[in-house]
Amino acid sequence: MSYIEVDYPQQKDAFYALLEQQLALYTGDETNETARLANASAVIAQAFPNANWVGFYLVDGEQLVLGPFQGKPAVSRIGCGKGVCGTAWKERKSQVVRDVSCFAGHIACDCNTHSEIVVPLWRDGAVWGVLDMDSVEMGAFTEDDRIGLERAVRALG
Ligand code: SME
């Protein structure tokens, strides 16, 4: 299958409808979790050109461990409650960080990152990982993005 470029619309509902369609197209028929998450990170990265890191951290005992991603090498393990990812896991709640320098305990992987969003992944009533996305723009992610991404990652559960 060769990737066909798509133009993401500005309007958020249309943007997220297309993102969900693309996720279904590139992950829907696959049962292997690594393959699904690898393509999901690639699809999301294509949709957010200002994102400098898009990927997954997956629950592994008392820690999150790095999963498939697009971007620079990153920290491989994050404790529960640590950083933005560990906070999203502990609180079982998405984190929208307008300015990472204002988030106490933020774990910096790329000094070009200015804002971040982390969305928990749910399966059978438990969080099994998180989607993490960083942006070079300040305040890149909004409540609309939180709602859109929470809905989009449901299909990965
Ligand atoms: N900033 C994250 C760490 C992971 S990197 O952004 C890829 C955090 O504070 O949890």
Side-chain angles (χ1 to χ4, degrees):
M1 175 199 285
S2 67
Y3 177 71
I4 299 163
E5 290 285 339
V6 287
D7 280 331
Y8 280 90
Q10 295 277 322
Q11 203 272 334
K12 291 284 182 180
D13 285 345
F15 176 97
Y16 279 103
L18 182 56
L19 182 65
E20 284 184 39
Q21 211 177 80
Q22 289 284 293
L23 284 169
L25 183 62
Y26 291 101
T27 69
D29 289 341
E30 181 54 66
T31 53
N32 179 278
E33 198 145 273
T34 304
R36 285 163 57 78
L37 295 181
N39 260 345
S41 66
V43 164
I44 297 168
Q46 289 292 322
F48 289 86
N50 288 333
N52 53 330
W53 202 92
V54 178
F56 296 93
Y57 281 92
L58 306 175
V59 172
D60 182 24
E62 298 302 307
Q63 294 180 315
L64 292 170
V65 67
L66 184 61
F69 71 96
Q70 308 271 304
K72 292 181 182 167
V75 60
S76 60
R77 287 186 180 267
I78 297 174
C80 189
K82 303 291 182 194
V84 186
C85 293
T87 301
W89 178 29
K90 185 178 178 190
E91 295 184 2
R92 297 150 60 98
K93 189 169 174 281
S94 296
Q95 306 291 311
V96 181
V97 182
R98 193 190 128 62
D99 177 355
V100 292
S101 70
C102 296
F103 189 99
H106 168 254
I107 301 164
C109 291
D110 180 342
C111 60
N112 295 313
T113 295
H114 283 109
S115 59
E116 181 163 0
I117 187 165
V118 178
V119 174
L121 307 176
W122 290 90
R123 183 179 287 155
D124 301 328
V127 175
W128 62 281
V130 298
L131 164 69
D132 180 17
M133 179 155 42
D134 294 348
S135 176
V136 295
E137 270 178 43
M138 187 73 80
F141 306 108
T142 63
E143 274 300 288
D144 285 343
D145 294 310
R146 178 187 64 75
I147 292 163
L149 288 169
E150 284 177 355
R151 198 175 54 203
V153 299
R154 267 184 223 151
L156 300 173

